[in-house]
Amino acid sequence: EDLLRNPVLVDFALSDAAMGMATKYLGSIPYLNRVDLLYSVSRSGDENVSSQLFHVDPEGLTQVKFFINVFDVGDGEGPFTFIPADKTARIIRDVNVLRRQQGKPHAGRYLDEEITAVGAGDSIVRVKGPQGSGVAADTSRCLHLGSRVSPGSFRLCLYIQYCTTLELGNAFDVER
């Protein structure tokens, strides 16, 4: 219903510019899977949980997500954080070796300490910037984590997901 009341968001996601970037990266005309406004706030407690831990997404073999800052984003607003794909495969392999050596089970989430332990702390990219800035990332191939917002701050971003396979996502007006 929100997307029907605010068609400009889907208009942008289906624009030649946005679809062109996604198509060029994915190598085929993608499925527009999701259009959302992600609102992130700080959470109580010191432990990072779920999407706040490094992970890769399960949708499709490849996908591209756009994260566009609606307001300025600095460290306090919990910038989108990722590790480029060319380094992710090595890091996952090395962390899994480390876990086996320590007798720990495999888990789909990776702790900051594990990323640092395999010498990958300098590979982390934090996407900060002014309103309208952002990033496109293949979150099936890049380790990434959700917002870690400081108390008293928030982050709002436009989130658009394109996939090479049909996935469960938003319901769009079929006439579009």
Side-chain angles (χ1 to χ4, degrees):
E1 289 179 25
D2 289 339
L3 292 175
L4 291 174
R5 284 193 306 268
N6 299 286
V8 68
L9 297 175
V10 177
D11 290 345
F12 175 74
L14 293 173
S15 70
D16 288 346
M19 284 290 291
M21 285 186 278
T23 299
K24 185 171 182 168
Y25 172 74
L26 295 170
S28 65
I29 297 172
Y31 292 95
L32 174 59
N33 191 57
R34 196 162 198 84
V35 177
D36 278 318
L37 288 171
L38 297 180
Y39 179 65
S40 303
V41 295
S42 66
R43 56 176 297 285
S44 60
D46 293 335
E47 293 291 316
N48 293 317
V49 296
S50 190
S51 68
Q52 292 180 314
L53 299 174
F54 279 103
H55 64 282
V56 291
D57 290 336
E59 300 97 348
L61 296 175
T62 58
Q63 65 176 298
V64 64
K65 289 182 181 177
F66 294 1
F67 297 88
I68 302 168
N69 299 325
V70 175
F71 298 103
D72 295 353
V73 172
D75 288 324
E77 289 75 29
F80 177 71
T81 302
F82 73 101
I83 297 173
D86 63 341
K87 297 179 181 168
T88 287
R90 178 198 65 83
I91 293 166
I92 289 173
R93 183 188 67 241
D94 291 353
V95 169
N96 289 335
V97 166
L98 179 65
R99 286 177 176 173
R100 280 193 300 278
Q101 291 171 346
Q102 296 173 342
K104 294 180 180 176
H106 171 73
R109 307 289 172 161
Y110 300 86
L111 302 174
D112 293 6
E113 297 78 27
E114 293 174 317
I115 301 297
T116 302
V118 298
D122 61 346
S123 299
I124 297 170
V125 177
R126 290 174 180 83
V127 182
K128 300 178 269 189
Q131 172 185 15
S133 64
V135 67
D138 184 340
T139 57
S140 294
R141 296 182 56 229
C142 296
L143 280 167
H144 63 284
L145 56 84
S147 294
R148 297 176 179 178
V149 179
S150 298
S153 295
F154 71 92
R155 181 175 74 127
L156 182 65
C157 74
L158 175 60
Y159 162 80
I160 304 170
Q161 179 188 37
Y162 302 94
C163 295
T164 56
T165 54
L166 187 58
E167 304 288 336
L168 288 175
N170 293 117
F172 302 105
D173 179 357
V174 294
E175 293 178 12
R176 302 192 72 189

